[in-house]
């Protein structure tokens, strides 16, 4: 009894140490986020849009119905929940929790390959190296999808490798699928690949009762997250707008009809995401394991990697943050190769050592050394805001000339002005580019609504001043207020409506 308790205590201590280690490293890594308590700087374009939607929600407005964006509603609810914790750092707290859960689940996934703890940690850090490339300052849909993807991947692989499954796991897998669907549907590659394989496997083995149980509990988990969100949107008259913005717009956005997603662009995007040392290492390791370890399991895993690459390439765009969902794919193949080395009694220890040295020196350490090296100055200046000079100047002008109840409009895609000035936006469209180019009807609606609402302030993003905005400003009696009046085409500017 005491021996058994001692073993359990040892496992508990191990996981406490692992949690503390990854917790500290997550805190350090998230210095890359402008929402980090020590940083407080300009949020990136997409992050600023999501925070603007949260700002509108905090003032009683609804996503889709009152403020346009084409991501899933869970992303806005996450930002809203973060702002309820703290407008300055609450979203970062949720980023931290999301990253920590992802890392812990990936560590547990690495252990499925029967490698050592050190090898599992190195496998996780190898995957983490991709995040330095793809993070793009965070608060993005892919970042919040990672823990759900990691959990589902663990459940599927534990089932395929060890036959372990339960109603609770099936329910959780369906719930995670629902959450990712409510972030962005094309991040669901793990479910597309593995659900297809599990279905075919169950039919081939004539396990129809088992398959029915799988489907029932999976759908139960999916429904638990989907139905309340649908009811919430429906109760606030946002369901139709949700369909138009999240479904119909994205169908155009990811097709050649939108002027972006031609086959050539998708082809280029696919190989752009493949073309990293870590991704190539993952694919090569998986092929090696197909040959040396288990043809079926790692063949399925290779299918999953390819499906992931296809889904992130479907828009034809090579935005770096799309690649974040590749991070969970890396861990198991790397850990599997370590496990193969461990089975070789003669040279395995040396091969494992050399692999760790290579990964640490050539893949892992460089980014961490640079990040940790910059911690001192960030800590010394913690509490200060690092907003750009232009953002500070423009927001001061906006705040000095409007009240919190008055709306403004930003022409372009510069939503950080709403967030920092704490001003709501006029019209349904807080930004117009590139959405107005993908779906020209948006620009017609924007000009129509702008003419009706006539916000007190209109800010024009640098490089966005054109004939359309000039005509509107002249026709509706807006006067130049801030910027470079002699060079409006290449500098940001602010205009105020004449009284």
């Amino acid at each position: 009894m005491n021996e058994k308790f001692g073993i359990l205590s040892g496992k508990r201590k191990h996981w406490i140490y692992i949690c503390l280690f990854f917790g500290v490293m997550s805190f350090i890594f998230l210095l890359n986020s402008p929402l980090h308590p020590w940083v407080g700087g300009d949020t990136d374009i997409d992050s600023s849009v999501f925070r603007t939607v949260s700002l509108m929600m905090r003032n009683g407005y609804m996503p889709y119905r009152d403020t346009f964006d084409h991501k899933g509603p869970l992303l806005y609810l996450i930002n809203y929940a973060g702002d309820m914790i703290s407008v300055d750092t609450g979203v970062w707290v949720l980023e931290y929790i999301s990253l920590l859960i992802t890392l812990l689940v990936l560590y547990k996934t690495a252990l499925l390959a029967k490698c050592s703890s050190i090898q599992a940690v190195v496998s996780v850090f190898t995957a983490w190296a991709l995040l330095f490339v793809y993070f793009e300052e965070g608060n993005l849909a892919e970042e919040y999808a990672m823990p759900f993807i990691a959990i589902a991947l663990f459940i599927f692989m534990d089932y395929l490798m060890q036959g372990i499954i339960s109603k609770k796991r099936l329910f959780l897998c369906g719930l995670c699928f629902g959450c990712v669907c409510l972030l962005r549907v094309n991040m669901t590659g793990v479910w597309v690949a593995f659900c297809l394989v599990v279905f075919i496997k169950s039919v081939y083995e004539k396990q129809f009762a088992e398959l029915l149980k799988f489907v029932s509990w999976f759908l139960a988990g999916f429904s638990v997250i989907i139905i309340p969100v649908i009811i919430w949107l429906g109760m606030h008259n946002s369901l139709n707008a949700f369909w138009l913005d999240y479904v119909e717009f994205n169908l155009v956005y990811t097709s050649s009809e939108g002027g972006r997603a031609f086959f050539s662009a998708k082809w280029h995007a696919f190989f752009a995401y493949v073309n990293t040392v870590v991704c190539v290492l993952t694919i090569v390791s998986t092929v090696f394991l197909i040959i040396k370890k288990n043809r079926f399991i790692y063949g399925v895993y290779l299918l999953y990697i390819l499906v992931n690459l296809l889904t992130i390439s479907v828009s034809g765009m090579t935005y770096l943050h799309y690649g974040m969902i590749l991070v969970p794919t890396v861990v198991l193949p790397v850990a599997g190769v370590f496990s193969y080395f461990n089975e070789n009694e003669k040279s395995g220890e040396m091969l494992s050592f050399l692999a760790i040295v290579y990964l640490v020196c050539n893949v892992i350490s460089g980014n961490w050394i640079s990040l940790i090296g910059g911690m001192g100055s960030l800590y010394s200046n913690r509490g200060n805001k690092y907003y750009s000079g232009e953002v500070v100047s423009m927001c001061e002008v906006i705040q000095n000339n409007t009240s919190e109840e008055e709306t403004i409009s930003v022409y372009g895609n510069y939503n950080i002005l709403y967030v920092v000035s704490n001003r709501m936006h006029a019209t349904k469209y807080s930004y117009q580019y590139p959405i107005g180019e993908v779906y020209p009807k948006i620009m017609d609606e924007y000009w129509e609504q702008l003419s009706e609402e006539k916000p007190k302030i209109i800010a024009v993003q640098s490089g966005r001043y054109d004939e359309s905005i000039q005509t509107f400003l002249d026709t509706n009696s807006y006067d130049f207020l801030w910027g470079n009046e002699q060079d409006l085409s290449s500098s940001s500017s602010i205009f105020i409506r004449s009284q």
Side-chain angles (χ1 to χ4, degrees), residues 157-173:
M157 293 310 299
D158 203 21
Y159 168 68
L160 291 175
M161 296 175 81
Q162 303 189 104
I164 298 175
I165 196 66
S166 66
K167 295 175 182 177
K168 185 186 297 184
R169 287 190 175 192
L170 291 165
F171 183 89
L172 181 58
C173 191

Side-chain angles (χ1 to χ4, degrees), residues 78-373:
I78 289 171
N79 275 259
Y80 177 78
D83 284 346
M84 290 296 98
I85 297 170
S86 166
V87 172
D88 290 328
T89 59
V91 173
W92 181 87
V93 170
L94 299 183
E95 284 189 280
Y96 178 83
I97 294 170
S98 174
L99 179 59
L100 182 56
I101 290 172
T102 301
L103 297 172
L104 292 174
V105 175
L106 290 181
Y107 174 78
K108 192 168 184 177
T109 302
L111 294 178
L112 290 177
K114 309 300 182 185
C115 63
S116 69
S117 296
I118 292 175
Q119 292 168 338
V121 169
V122 171
S123 300
V124 172
F125 271 82
T126 302
W128 208 341
L130 274 183
L131 208 52
F132 278 93
V133 178
Y134 294 140
F135 187 67
E136 288 202 304
E137 300 187 352
N139 191 29
L140 299 166
E142 295 81 4
E143 179 184 7
Y144 300 118
M146 281 198 304
F148 302 119
I149 292 170
I151 290 168
L153 181 60
F154 173 80
I155 290 171
F156 282 122
M157 293 310 299
D158 203 21
Y159 168 68
L160 291 175
M161 296 175 81
Q162 303 189 104
I164 298 175
I165 196 66
S166 66
K167 295 175 182 177
K168 185 186 297 184
R169 287 190 175 192
L170 291 165
F171 183 89
L172 181 58
C173 191
L175 187 146
C176 289
F177 176 63
C179 288
V180 173
C181 286
L182 293 175
L183 288 168
R184 205 178 66 232
V185 174
N186 73 324
M187 298 188 291
T188 56
V190 64
W191 292 274
V192 172
F194 285 108
C195 284
L196 177 63
V197 169
V198 171
F199 177 81
I200 294 173
K201 179 178 180 291
S202 299
V203 171
Y204 178 76
E205 295 175 354
K206 297 182 180 180
Q207 296 179 339
F208 299 112
E210 190 86 345
L211 180 60
L212 180 61
K213 182 185 79 171
F214 289 173
V215 173
S216 299
W217 283 99
F218 181 89
L219 290 178
F222 176 76
S223 301
V224 160
I225 187 67
I226 292 289
I227 291 175
V229 173
I230 296 299
I231 291 173
W232 171 65
L233 292 170
M235 289 177 61
H236 292 88
N237 197 29
S238 295
L239 205 51
N240 184 59
F242 161 75
W243 180 264
L244 293 173
D245 296 353
Y246 185 52
V247 180
E248 292 192 10
F249 177 86
N250 280 324
L251 288 174
V252 176
Y253 188 82
T254 56
S255 70
S256 57
E257 181 185 348
R260 296 151 64 91
F262 296 104
F263 174 77
S264 58
K266 295 177 182 181
W267 181 269
H268 169 74
F270 180 90
F271 286 99
Y273 291 112
V274 170
N275 191 26
T276 65
V277 171
V278 175
C279 190
V280 172
L281 176 68
T282 302
I283 294 172
V284 170
S285 297
T286 305
V287 172
F288 175 82
L289 293 168
I290 290 172
I291 298 170
K292 295 293 186 178
K293 290 276 284 185
N294 190 305
R295 183 175 300 176
F296 171 71
I297 287 175
Y298 290 103
V300 170
Y301 201 89
L302 182 61
L303 171 67
Y304 159 54
I305 295 171
L306 294 175
V307 169
N308 247 7
L309 287 166
L310 288 170
T311 56
I312 63 175
S313 305
V314 70
S315 71
M317 297 293 104
T318 53
Y319 298 133
L320 289 176
H321 58 86
Y322 286 2
M324 260 194 273
I325 67 166
L326 296 175
V327 172
T329 68
V330 176
V331 170
L332 193 62
V334 175
V337 172
F338 278 127
S339 177
Y340 177 80
F341 291 158
N342 295 343
E343 294 169 3
N344 190 325
E345 295 181 0
K346 293 183 179 179
S347 59
E349 190 173 334
M350 178 57 69
L351 288 171
S352 178
F353 173 76
L354 292 174
I356 290 173
V357 169
Y358 168 78
L359 290 173
V360 170
C361 294
N362 292 284
V363 178
I364 298 170
S365 62
N367 291 315
W368 284 102
I369 290 171
S370 298
L371 182 60
I372 293 171

Side-chain angles (χ1 to χ4, degrees), residues 6 44 54 258 286 365 414 427 478:
D44 199 32
S54 173
T286 305
S365 62
Y414 205 19
T427 83
Y478 280 82

